[in-house]
Amino acid sequence: MTSLRKRGSRWVRLVAAWSTALALTACATSVSDDGSSGSREAQYKRVLADPRPSPADVIEAAGAPSGVARADNGSLFLTYDAGNVEDDEGPAASAWRIVDPGGRTVAEHAEHTDAEAAPVAFEGVRGGFVRVPPGEGAGGAYALDLAGKRHKVVISETALRTRPGDILLAAPEPTLVYRPATRTLAPPAGVPADGIRFAVDERGTVWSLDQPLAEEPNRVVRQRGGRTLGRIAVPKPYTGGVLAARGGTAGLSLIQGERVRGLLLTTDGGGHWRTVLGDGIPFTALKGAPEALVLEALADGRLLVGEEGGRYWLAGDRTNSAFRELTTPARFTSLTVVGTTLYGIADATTATYDLVKGEGLWISSDGGRQWRRHRQR
């Protein structure tokens, strides 16, 4: 009987302890939801107000990268932005982090800024990364090596005759190519004055969409080393849109009215062209503006077609004769191609204190059949 009374007394004490713990947890949750010092909202606001935020704090507040670039050795350059939730003005913070192929952080940086500042963007190049000029002109561009050390970029007004390894860094106003070997940024030689869209492939060929002021059709022009290799008129009744080129393939979205209705593409470097109005892509299902179209060429010549925040299709092979829709692990706000690897970012479309489902960077090396979430070591 004494043993039973002891057990009963112990049970009462355990229940009381559990009840107290549950009450404290509920209280803590309530305080967190109200925006106290322990909540995500409060942490986010502290990061924005901090004149010298740490990279880790900015990255945690942002939740997902705003952009991704990859260098030739496989290192990733991730940019992060935390903006003002209540208004499109006010304080903000940005950060970048270089991650080596093994997932280790090798360099990072953060700074206090404001919501109206141009977002930081970088492109991967041989031996590191180069910053995209934040405004008109070439000012603000600089290079980072794989260890994050900053290097000066030579800005030249003399046009470069493009060659293999050059990359398109900015377009169309101004149109600038970057040469990693000399860290030189300059306009490409010989591009059409009426060019409105540009792409530079791995052979140094400059592809441009020429939009004459007269009642002439748009034209796709290809050049290398300042010399014109060929041109083709965009078929009526379409006008040209987004342009991409890589791996012997060049593709141009075809616009009719306010919608994308197909593709004009070549798979033999411009020798032969054909119009694609289907082949697995339901162009009538594309709801966004023509400018929101995602059109990228993989290193093997396959084209990726889709919409920001929507659906995506990838060609089955370099003939680009049939496309299949990708199944993604989350709703991607952006999808980027580097080589043959797909990088999808799931994030909120506007600044928010909360995370969205699946938020973060997702990577696929097999054409979107399998995805892995990027996690740093």
Side-chain angles (χ1 to χ4, degrees):
M1 182 66 71
T2 301
S3 176
L4 289 175
R5 282 198 297 268
K6 288 182 178 179
R7 290 178 184 175
S9 177
R10 182 184 179 191
W11 175 253
V12 170
R13 290 197 301 271
L14 287 173
V15 170
W18 289 341
S19 299
T20 301
L22 287 173
L24 290 173
T25 301
C27 181
T29 302
S30 175
V31 170
S32 177
D33 289 342
D34 289 341
S36 72
S37 60
S39 72
R40 179 173 173 80
E41 178 180 341
Q43 181 184 17
Y44 193 100
K45 289 180 176 179
R46 283 199 301 271
V47 169
L48 298 189
D50 191 342
R52 295 182 179 178
S54 72
D57 287 345
V58 176
I59 290 169
E60 183 176 355
S66 56
V68 56
R70 192 182 75 191
D72 59 332
N73 79 327
S75 295
L76 296 181
F77 188 98
L78 307 175
T79 51
Y80 297 85
D81 295 294
N84 197 319
V85 174
E86 285 84 5
D87 198 351
D88 58 359
E89 299 178 350
S94 66
W96 57 257
R97 175 176 281 174
I98 297 177
V99 182
D100 71 13
R104 299 177 180 85
T105 298
V106 297
E108 58 186 9
H109 171 77
E111 59 187 53
H112 180 80
T113 180
D114 63 79
E116 295 181 318
V120 176
F122 280 76
E123 289 287 341
V125 296
R126 188 174 72 246
F129 309 90
V130 60
R131 187 187 183 191
V132 178
E136 295 183 2
Y142 58 86
L144 294 172
D145 61 25
L146 296 172
K149 182 179 179 181
R150 185 164 169 165
H151 299 270
K152 182 180 179 181
V153 166
V154 178
I155 300 173
S156 174
E157 295 182 359
T158 303
L160 282 178
R161 294 182 178 274
T162 53
R163 65 189 190 192
D166 293 346
I167 68 165
L168 180 68
L169 197 62
E173 295 179 0
T175 302
L176 299 169
V177 293
Y178 179 73
R179 182 162 294 168
T182 58
R183 295 197 179 106
T184 300
L185 187 61
V191 297
D194 296 325
I196 59 170
R197 295 280 187 171
F198 296 89
V200 178
D201 65 20
E202 74 283 3
R203 299 183 63 189
T205 305
V206 179
W207 302 77
S208 60
L209 175 64
D210 186 16
Q211 188 180 59
L213 297 177
E215 294 296 324
E216 300 178 29
N218 292 180
R219 292 188 298 267
V220 178
V221 181
R222 69 184 192 279
Q223 300 168 308
R224 190 183 305 130
R227 183 171 61 91
T228 299
L229 303 177
R231 64 184 73 227
I232 183 173
V234 175
K236 294 181 178 181
Y238 308 106
T239 57
V242 181
L243 182 64
R246 181 72 48 177
T249 295
L252 174 75
S253 62
L254 297 176
I255 301 172
Q256 185 178 23
E258 297 298 324
R259 291 287 183 268
V260 175
R261 291 296 181 237
L263 301 173
L264 177 67
L265 66 85
T266 176
T267 57
D268 61 359
H272 301 84
W273 294 81
R274 75 176 191 272
T275 301
V276 175
L277 302 178
D279 290 352
I281 305 174
F283 287 102
T284 55
L286 299 178
K287 304 300 183 183
E291 296 77 16
L293 186 82
V294 175
L295 178 62
E296 296 210 38
L298 281 65
D300 57 12
R302 289 178 293 164
L303 285 178
L304 173 76
V305 184
E307 286 188 302
E308 295 176 355
R311 301 161 65 184
Y312 298 90
W313 294 264
L314 179 64
D317 55 46
R318 70 175 316 276
T319 65
N320 291 280
S321 57
F323 291 77
R324 62 177 175 83
E325 186 170 0
L326 298 183
T327 300
T328 59
R331 184 183 177 89
F332 290 158
T333 47
S334 69
L335 184 56
T336 304
V337 172
V338 183
T340 57
T341 303
L342 308 181
Y343 295 91
I345 294 175
D347 197 4
T349 55
T350 58
T352 175
Y353 300 126
D354 300 319
L355 302 178
V356 300
K357 183 177 180 181
E359 183 157 339
L361 174 65
W362 296 83
I363 304 172
S364 176
S365 301
D366 62 357
R369 291 181 172 83
Q370 293 183 325
W371 295 88
R372 62 180 176 87
R373 199 168 187 171
H374 172 72
R375 300 188 186 279
Q376 294 180 218
R377 296 178 59 182

